[in-house]
Amino acid sequence: MTSLILLSLCLLSWRGALGQPDGVLQVKAKVSETIKLPCSSYKDGESNNKTLEWLSKKTTEKVIYRRGPNGLTVPDPELKERMSVDEHFTLEITDVRVQDEMIFICRVVDTSTKEDAVQLLVFKAPESPEIIMTKTSFRSTDEISEFGSCKSVNGYPLPTITWYKNDLPLKHKQNEVQISSLNTQLSSGLYTVESSLSLPLQKDDDKADIYCEVSYHLPSGDHMMESEKKNITVLYPSKSVRLFRLFPIGPVKEGDDVELKCEGDGTMPLDINYKRKGEELNLGEGPSLILEKVTHSSSGTYECTGMDFENLDESMTDEIELQVHFLDQPEFSQMSPVVVHPGDHLSVSCEANSSVETETLWKHKGHIMAHDSFLTLSEITHAMSGKYICIVTLPSVPGLSVSKELEIIVKGKPELSVSSKSIYVQENNLATVTCKALAHPKPTITWSANGTTSEMMEGPEITSELSFIVTSELLDIGVVVCKATNKMGSSKEEIKLYLSTTPPVSVTTSSDLLTSPAPENNTDVLRGGSHGVLIVVVIICILLLAILGAVLYFLYKKGRIPCGRSGKQDITKPGEKEQIVVEMKPDSPAEESVLLPGAQEKKPPGDQGEKYMDLRN
């Protein structure tokens, strides 16, 4: 560090020793740039008899360019290829180098000598600093140990390096931090700087970030670059170990893979072994133990023992309790299938062994039947037959569930239902009726009428459809009978046939009208087509009455209809005003008539022996 400070002072002194007299112009340029140095002593248009010179000066003056009465000379071989002078006597230097840093003097020689100086300062940014660590990990110690070095190359003027730990600068301090620097100037004039860092590393320095920074100058000002941050690993012994479950997160269930991890509170490597508490069998070694596809027998207490390689006489131990949740297949209180009869009562339980409390659900044909381990059925019918699913879950262990099917067979004579108890038909037309039977054993369905039949079976239910032509014989009988038979007995249902004289008016097919079912609580027979006709007739009558009323009202308003039982109408000449007169006869029943004045001659009331009331006023 001391040598770095002395070298920097020497460089500053050298730059000052170049001579920076008052009024000297300073021009700054970066390496490889092109720079122009003006000559203020030269005035355009001066006599060609004058001698014009450019000189360079580091320690002594040296002519690098001369133009005068004796011609042009460029005596400096170093600048000859990179130097030129224009008509204004401005010196231009291309591909500036570190060696070009000096004072340039412009001189005009005539009867008197005039000159001025320009100082050229050259700059070059160094490359990014790079840290090289002596090792990847360091033992915790109070002694100073070498951490690594930071290096930056090709900079000018001389860059400086600063070390940082956790963003705080490190300074050279005896017995605490030691920083040494090595600076090398290459033949190009550029500098390579290298700084080494040594310091004691403690437990608290583990995972600390250390990096270096190079500071340098450019024409634009001061700049800096940082190296990549290096994370320190400090090795220190463990005082205890910790055993924990790394995977899975949450409750463990049968079939899971379980990973147990044991780690010390230090960073030095440990010799770790695993076993079950109270057993001598070694289950594994290393930082973690994987138990594959565990069962409920895997539940218990597990231990890990850690030993420091440098102190094998001392060991550290920790333990963990592992609970593997399980759920066995459920068992029914009665064997499947269960055979019952219509009207019976049935109760079946579904139980499953588990590690924690369970929840049970019964389902039948997608519908929930019970939220309990017991399935209770009362007044059993054929519709209750089929497969029931018992689903058992553990609410506290998501994803763990089992299920089992219980088949219930209802054994008895068939239960029948028809699409309609009665239908309206037309002779010689096609009619379709449907009959459904539920039973076990499987029943056979027959019809009393001849026709085309089709059957469809879904579980214990059989659906039979009959399409037949309505004959006069069927109309005389008046019914179609559906009969279902099995070993347990038989059942039958009648469908009454009624003759319909009105053809159907709806857009549906004839078979749809004929087979329309009647409500169960209505004893009247459905009249498929007559209802539509009656509605149409009522609507037409209402429309006719409305039209008739509108016509009468219009005629009345126009005066075309008399208000009383008798009256007289007289059509006046065009343009005359209508007059309405009421004739009153005292000797006869009161009558009203509307007299419309017309072409006839009017008589006064006195001449006619009648009394009139004039309603015009």
Side-chain angles (χ1 to χ4, degrees):
M1 186 68 182
T2 304
S3 60
L4 177 61
I5 296 173
L6 291 175
L7 182 58
S8 299
L9 291 174
C10 291
L11 288 171
L12 291 174
S13 300
W14 178 80
R15 282 202 166 189
L18 284 177
Q20 186 177 344
D22 295 339
V24 173
L25 176 65
Q26 284 189 339
V27 177
K28 298 178 180 181
K30 291 192 291 185
V31 171
S32 301
E33 287 185 341
T34 297
I35 193 68
K36 290 184 177 183
L37 305 178
C39 178
S40 58
S41 297
Y42 175 77
K43 305 298 182 184
D44 290 342
E46 290 184 334
S47 172
N48 292 331
N49 293 326
K50 295 181 179 181
T51 299
L52 307 177
E53 295 177 337
W54 273 102
L55 301 90
S56 63
K57 180 182 178 182
K58 285 187 178 179
T59 56
T60 60
E61 292 184 359
K62 181 175 65 172
V63 177
I64 60 173
Y65 178 89
R66 178 181 287 121
R67 187 177 68 194
N70 297 326
L72 174 66
T73 59
V74 183
D76 191 333
E78 294 182 5
L79 289 173
K80 183 177 181 180
E81 301 297 330
R82 301 184 292 115
M83 181 184 69
S84 63
V85 178
D86 63 10
E87 67 275 11
H88 304 293
F89 206 52
T90 298
L91 177 63
E92 180 179 272
I93 300 175
T94 61
D95 189 19
V96 171
R97 302 171 184 175
V98 173
Q99 291 84 353
D100 297 334
E101 185 174 77
M102 65 185 78
I103 293 177
F104 292 86
I105 301 172
C106 169
R107 180 179 294 169
V108 179
V109 181
D110 194 3
T111 55
S112 62
T113 299
K114 294 184 294 183
E115 64 179 33
D116 58 85
V118 179
Q119 185 177 14
L120 177 60
L121 300 178
V122 180
F123 298 86
K124 169 69 169 63
E127 297 179 12
S128 299
E130 180 182 2
I131 290 182
I132 300 176
M133 299 173 61
T134 57
K135 58 185 78 173
T136 57
S137 58
F138 302 86
R139 296 182 66 86
S140 175
T141 177
D142 294 331
E143 298 179 359
I144 295 177
S145 58
E146 186 179 358
F147 169 76
S149 62
C150 174
K151 185 177 182 180
S152 179
V153 301
N154 297 331
Y156 189 87
L158 184 67
T160 58
I161 291 178
T162 305
W163 286 92
Y164 290 85
K165 184 176 74 172
N166 292 334
D167 297 327
L168 296 176
L170 296 174
K171 295 183 179 180
H172 184 86
K173 193 172 183 181
Q174 192 69 24
N175 299 326
E176 292 187 15
V177 178
Q178 291 184 3
I179 300 174
S180 59
S181 299
L182 176 63
N183 305 310
T184 306
Q185 190 169 23
L186 308 177
S187 59
S188 62
L190 300 176
Y191 286 101
T192 293
V193 292
E194 186 173 359
S195 177
S196 299
L197 174 65
S198 299
L199 72 168
L201 295 173
Q202 305 292 335
K203 175 181 177 180
D204 296 338
D205 294 322
D206 186 47
K207 307 305 180 185
D209 288 326
I210 290 185
Y211 63 96
C212 64
E213 171 190 283
V214 59
S215 301
Y216 56 95
H217 304 287
L218 289 179
S220 56
D222 295 334
H223 297 267
M224 54 79 64
M225 283 188 294
E226 293 180 354
S227 69
E228 179 186 1
K229 292 184 177 181
K230 298 294 184 179
N231 189 260
I232 304 176
T233 298
V234 179
L235 302 178
Y236 55 92
S238 298
K239 295 183 179 180
S240 63
V241 292
R242 181 173 71 98
L243 179 61
F244 59 96
R245 175 160 50 89
L246 187 64
F247 181 84
I249 299 173
V252 179
K253 58 183 182 294
E254 285 190 314
D256 287 345
D257 292 337
V258 178
E259 183 176 1
L260 302 180
K261 186 173 180 62
C262 183
E263 61 182 21
D265 57 358
T267 55
M268 286 187 178
L270 297 174
D271 181 21
I272 299 175
N273 293 276
Y274 301 87
K275 66 176 184 176
R276 296 186 71 160
K277 189 175 183 179
E279 298 180 5
E280 296 299 328
L281 180 63
N282 186 14
L283 299 177
E285 300 176 349
S288 64
L289 172 67
I290 297 178
L291 305 174
E292 296 182 348
K293 299 188 182 304
V294 295
T295 63
H296 65 273
S297 62
S298 304
S299 298
T301 304
Y302 289 78
E303 289 183 346
C304 81
T305 302
M307 300 182 66
D308 193 332
F309 286 104
E310 296 185 358
N311 188 6
L312 299 177
D313 295 333
E314 294 184 8
S315 61
M316 299 156 282
T317 304
D318 192 24
E319 61 184 39
I320 187 174
E321 186 71 25
L322 177 64
Q323 182 181 14
V324 179
H325 293 283
F326 66 93
L327 181 60
D328 293 340
Q329 281 293 319
E331 297 293 337
F332 296 132
S333 58
Q334 297 190 40
M335 295 292 292
S336 179
V338 179
V339 179
V340 293
H341 298 87
D344 288 351
H345 297 270
L346 176 66
S347 180
V348 180
S349 66
C350 176
E351 303 289 345
N353 293 326
S354 63
S355 55
V356 290
E357 185 177 355
T358 62
E359 282 188 359
T360 305
L361 192 70
W362 285 91
K363 282 188 174 183
H364 176 56
K365 296 180 180 179
H367 300 286
I368 297 176
M369 303 299 295
H371 286 277
D372 193 3
S373 59
F374 282 89
L375 173 67
T376 302
L377 301 177
S378 301
E379 297 294 332
I380 291 176
T381 64
H382 282 290
M384 295 180 183
S385 62
K387 293 182 178 180
Y388 289 74
I389 303 175
C390 171
I391 304 172
V392 183
T393 60
L394 298 184
S396 60
V397 186
L400 187 56
S401 66
V402 291
S403 62
K404 190 174 182 180
E405 287 186 351
L406 174 70
E407 185 177 8
I408 296 179
I409 298 175
V410 181
K411 194 172 183 180
K413 71 176 185 178
E415 293 180 1
L416 274 182
S417 63
V418 292
S419 57
S420 178
K421 294 288 186 180
S422 57
I423 60 172
Y424 267 84
V425 296
Q426 290 183 340
E427 190 174 354
N428 297 325
N429 277 10
L430 181 68
T432 301
V433 290
T434 303
C435 181
K436 292 184 178 182
L438 273 172
H440 184 86
K442 176 183 175 181
T444 301
I445 297 179
T446 57
W447 294 90
S448 63
N450 294 325
T452 303
T453 61
S454 61
E455 286 190 357
M456 182 179 65
M457 187 169 183
E458 184 177 356
E461 182 181 76
I462 299 178
T463 302
S464 177
E465 185 178 80
L466 171 68
S467 297
F468 62 96
I469 300 297
V470 180
T471 62
S472 58
E473 290 80 1
L474 282 176
L475 290 175
D476 291 339
I477 298 172
V479 294
V480 173
V481 179
C482 170
K483 184 178 181 180
T485 306
N486 67 1
K487 294 180 180 180
M488 305 300 294
S490 62
S491 301
K492 66 178 181 178
E493 286 284 346
E494 293 183 349
I495 302 175
K496 295 181 180 179
L497 304 179
Y498 291 90
L499 182 63
S500 174
T501 58
T502 305
V505 296
S506 65
V507 297
T508 58
T509 61
S510 61
S511 61
D512 292 336
L513 293 175
L514 292 173
T515 58
S516 299
E520 295 180 0
N521 57 353
N522 189 0
T523 57
D524 296 336
V525 179
L526 288 179
R527 305 178 183 272
S530 60
H531 286 177
V533 175
L534 180 61
I535 292 173
V536 173
V537 171
V538 171
I539 292 174
I540 292 174
C541 291
I542 293 173
L543 290 175
L544 290 175
L545 289 175
I547 294 171
L548 179 61
V551 171
L552 293 175
Y553 180 74
F554 176 77
L555 294 176
Y556 168 72
K557 293 297 290 184
K558 292 297 184 180
R560 300 293 189 268
I561 300 178
C563 294
R565 295 188 183 88
S566 63
K568 300 178 181 180
Q569 294 183 351
D570 186 11
I571 299 177
T572 62
K573 296 179 180 181
E576 289 190 26
K577 187 177 181 181
E578 285 187 342
Q579 298 177 1
I580 301 175
V581 179
V582 177
E583 178 183 7
M584 301 180 65
K585 297 181 180 181
D587 297 333
S588 61
E591 292 181 350
E592 297 178 356
S593 63
V594 180
L595 301 181
L596 303 176
Q600 296 180 359
E601 183 180 353
K602 298 180 182 178
K603 294 182 180 182
D607 296 340
Q608 297 177 1
E610 296 175 347
K611 296 181 180 180
Y612 292 86
M613 178 182 292
D614 192 352
L615 299 179
R616 292 172 295 177
N617 297 325

